Amino acid sequence: MLDTETNPRVENRAVRKLVLYILGVVLISAAMLAVNTGMIFALSQGVTTLLPEWTGIRQPIQMLIFLGPVLLLYLEWYLWDVITSGRAPSRGN
């Protein structure tokens, strides 16, 4: 027979750890998004300075500024997962 009741102290401690973990992930993600945005913005400013004669460059640069930091954040968390899990990513075979 399984004991389905949990100790309230154990449950409260688990909830507290989960909340702290989620808060940590949110804070780290926000910091990484800020750094990623700065890098992408600096890169885009450099590109527009080097290529001012390209007439259609502004729209792709704006899209890069919007999507770039989020894509970098995804890649950073993916790499963190691969590094911490100790296994290689699957190759889709």
Side-chain angles (χ1 to χ4, degrees):
M1 188 164 155
L2 295 173
D3 183 20
T4 58
E5 292 186 29
T6 59
N7 186 349
R9 286 179 34 200
V10 172
E11 186 174 334
N12 288 340
R13 187 173 39 195
V15 168
R16 193 175 327 116
K17 284 185 177 184
L18 179 63
V19 167
L20 288 174
Y21 175 77
I22 291 172
L23 183 63
V25 168
V26 168
L27 290 175
I28 291 170
S29 295
M32 287 193 306
L33 270 175
V35 170
N36 293 345
T37 302
M39 288 188 317
I40 295 291
F41 186 72
L43 178 68
S44 68
Q45 293 301 312
V47 168
T48 55
T49 303
L50 290 175
L51 306 170
E53 65 274 357
W54 285 20
T55 56
I57 195 76
R58 293 231 183 259
Q59 289 80 16
I61 292 294
Q62 287 176 352
M63 188 173 74
L64 178 69
I65 290 172
F66 181 70
L67 294 177
V70 176
L71 292 174
L72 282 175
L73 182 68
Y74 173 78
L75 288 174
E76 290 162 352
W77 279 118
Y78 178 74
L79 286 174
W80 177 256
D81 185 45
V82 168
I83 290 168
T84 58
S85 69
R87 57 188 163 92
S90 63
R91 297 187 183 228
N93 294 352

